[in-house]
Amino acid sequence: MLFYPRSISPLYSSILARRQGTDMEIGDCRLSAISYLLYRDNIMLPPVMCFGLGEGYDFSFWVERSGRVPLIAIMGRTTDCESHLLNRLGVSFVDIGDSSATAQSNKQELESVLDEGRCVALTVDRYYLKALRDKFGPTHCGFHSLVVFKNTDNDDCYGVRDVLAPDIDTISKTEVSQARSSAIHPFPPLYRGCYLSDQAELAKRQQATSQVVDAHMIYQAVESNMKQYRCADTRGIHALQSFVDQFAHVTKSSTSSLKKLFLKVQIDFIVQMIAEVDDTHSFHRLLYKHFLQESQDRYDCAFPQAIREFSYLGSLWEALVNKLADVKALPTDARVTTLLDELRKILEYEDKASRTLLAEAESGLDTDMTNGGSRNG
């Protein structure tokens, strides 16, 4: 496991800067939360490295039927990226939260963990957090993550580290309980949270350094992620193709005014899920490009062509959002046409970029084998 000095990585410098409220971190809230837990235990991995090593690159979609109107939801990352990362690093963690238990019982469980001096990453609905509601408006988002720890100065508050509110040092326990108990879809928090293993166990593992973040580990993560992305039947690039085809079919099946109203709401929802989930506003594509760049700069991996292609791919996702904003005042049919035209360009380049990256990762692993290493680590 790599424990490099905090001054060595410009990306890690940006993490510290954002935690001091002076700069933007590259990542999303869930990656930032797990990165902070690792940082507290002197494991220095910025969120982009957490994303790549956790094999977070993905595409999935589903029909979200929990609201008054069923909408197609999309996601550009895996939901189990953080647990996958910790398993790869050999870092044990403990899940907390019981959706069948009461809010009070879940609060007591959390506080017993905090009393042991641990930090806990929690999944919450940001609607119930005043600082975020004031900043983003009263909208539900149950996929938000933050880190809490014991506050010895005020029994009514927890200490907090929230990447979306870097200036806030404490948070009301009442707000946290409400935000954890939300059942609003999509992504109801259902009291979920986790913390890392105890310090004695961690210190022993650090001394052994049995798991080292190096080029070989990165190549393995990239190869595995890209194979899954390119080959899985119900997710990845096949899911993106299916999404484009099904959306094109739905838009042709009816020209009623009600259908056009639905499409307007649907397109706005898609834009929100592309632009608002991660700091790069590129559906996690530029985030993955930053992972590849950091891997090349700091770990001597070789992803020269893939970095260029993922940079361009990220710009295509950004362009999709911008072009839909430019035609927002036009009839719904024009926005549908724009969406489908841009998605078809994206689909073609997703295939190209992922194919290039898979080849470069396989080449890196083959080079390791030539030099006496093992392809499987």
Side-chain angles (χ1 to χ4, degrees), residues 94-120:
V94 180
D95 290 319
I96 68 167
D98 182 355
S99 60
S100 64
T102 65
Q104 182 61 28
S105 176
N106 277 285
K107 180 181 178 181
Q108 290 172 347
E109 179 193 28
L110 171 62
E111 296 201 352
S112 69
V113 174
L114 299 182
D115 284 342
E116 296 173 358
R118 304 181 191 275
C119 293
V120 180

Side-chain angles (χ1 to χ4, degrees), residues 82-213:
E82 290 75 22
S83 59
H84 201 142
L85 164 74
L86 296 177
N87 286 329
R88 168 165 271 124
L89 296 176
V91 176
S92 59
F93 62 96
V94 180
D95 290 319
I96 68 167
D98 182 355
S99 60
S100 64
T102 65
Q104 182 61 28
S105 176
N106 277 285
K107 180 181 178 181
Q108 290 172 347
E109 179 193 28
L110 171 62
E111 296 201 352
S112 69
V113 174
L114 299 182
D115 284 342
E116 296 173 358
R118 304 181 191 275
C119 293
V120 180
L122 298 176
T123 302
V124 296
D125 184 344
R126 74 184 190 195
Y127 172 87
Y128 296 99
L129 307 181
K130 184 179 184 304
L132 299 188
R133 190 167 62 249
D134 292 345
K135 186 174 183 178
F136 297 103
T139 57
H140 288 276
C141 178
F143 202 58
H144 182 54
S145 291
L146 49 75
V147 176
V148 297
F149 45 90
K150 186 177 180 64
N151 177 18
T152 58
D153 296 327
N154 187 340
D155 287 339
D156 295 326
C157 296
Y158 300 121
V160 66
R161 288 295 180 269
D162 187 343
V163 71
L164 295 184
D167 296 326
I168 304 300
D169 294 320
T170 61
I171 189 168
S172 161
K173 291 182 178 181
T174 300
E175 287 184 30
V176 171
S177 292
Q178 291 176 329
R180 294 183 71 204
S181 66
S182 174
I184 302 296
H185 288 255
F187 318 122
L190 302 177
Y191 300 105
R192 286 189 297 270
C194 75
Y195 61 91
L196 303 190
S197 61
D198 63 45
Q199 295 291 331
E201 186 179 322
L202 182 64
K204 187 183 298 183
R205 184 172 56 250
Q206 287 176 344
Q207 290 176 359
T209 60
S210 58
Q211 293 285 348
V212 178
V213 176

Side-chain angles (χ1 to χ4, degrees), residues 61 72 241-252 262-263 266-267 270 335-336 339-340 343:
F61 77 100
I72 301 171
Q241 176 72 72
S242 180
F243 172 72
V244 173
D245 293 344
Q246 291 185 40
F247 198 83
H249 175 73
V250 167
T251 58
K252 291 179 180 178
F262 159 75
L263 288 173
Q266 175 66 78
I267 291 172
I270 289 173
R335 298 190 78 202
V336 169
L339 175 62
L340 289 172
L343 281 175

